[in-house]
Amino acid sequence: MATISPVPFLQFIDANGAPLAGGKLYTYVAGTTTPLATYTTYAGTVSNANPVILDSAGRASVWLGVGSYKFVLKDSTDVLVYTTDNIVNAGIGTMQPAVVATQGQTVFTVLPYTMGGSAIVARNGLVQEYNVDYTETNSTTITFATGLSAGDRVTVRSI
């Protein structure tokens, strides 16, 4: 099973802060130019193309497999934007499938996890702060302080 890269949806921007539409993310074994697969979902059963082509908002779903990665990011015309090495798949915990919100939804039922802020909760890939952005009702219920927008994605990683 693959685990997620630092956030559920990676979004890349150019030097001016605009989305890197059509950008290309090449993934390699850390310290090399040997391609290393990433995956389209947490299940790790379908590999992304390498390079991963970013959508019009500069986003991609990139889940990491076992090992350490080197990312090489280029724009749509193959001009190097940056390289970063030794991205480690920490392999901590279990990532649950995303729950898609309805307009104004605040309460989410998730798979059981250990309560007390020991889970990583993300909204559209942005980690939320325990007892600020969300609270825990029980080991399967998360309540957000404000209603979410229709289509927002909530993910939980049990640690």
Side-chain angles (χ1 to χ4, degrees):
M1 176 183 292
T3 59
I4 197 158
S5 65
V7 293
F9 290 102
L10 295 179
Q11 183 174 34
F12 298 93
I13 56 174
D14 65 18
N16 299 315
L20 194 62
K24 300 173 184 178
L25 177 66
Y26 295 84
T27 58
Y28 303 102
V29 173
T32 75
T33 56
T34 303
L36 183 58
T38 61
Y39 301 92
T40 60
T41 68
Y42 77 99
T45 56
V46 179
S47 296
N48 277 315
N50 197 353
V52 176
I53 306 300
L54 307 179
D55 68 14
S56 62
R59 292 183 303 223
S61 181
V62 179
W63 298 71
L64 303 181
V66 176
S68 296
Y69 286 78
K70 175 169 74 174
F71 283 2
V72 175
L73 182 65
K74 296 184 177 183
D75 69 12
S76 61
T77 62
D78 281 324
V79 173
L80 180 66
V81 176
Y82 70 82
T83 298
T84 187
D85 209 342
N86 296 308
I87 299 168
V88 178
N89 172 356
I92 59 171
T94 302
M95 178 60 73
Q96 298 186 16
V99 179
V100 179
T102 58
Q103 185 63 39
Q105 184 176 357
T106 57
V107 179
F108 292 83
T109 301
V110 297
L111 296 173
Y113 68 97
T114 303
M115 290 180 60
S118 64
I120 299 171
V121 175
R123 174 182 175 188
N124 296 328
L126 300 174
V127 174
Q128 303 295 289
E129 188 173 348
Y130 175 60
N131 280 337
V132 173
D133 299 312
Y134 75 96
T135 57
E136 300 167 325
T137 305
N138 57 48
S139 65
T140 61
T141 307
I142 294 171
T143 302
F144 282 83
T146 59
L148 278 61
S149 298
D152 281 356
R153 296 171 57 86
V154 174
T155 54
V156 176
R157 178 181 286 216
S158 304
I159 55 175

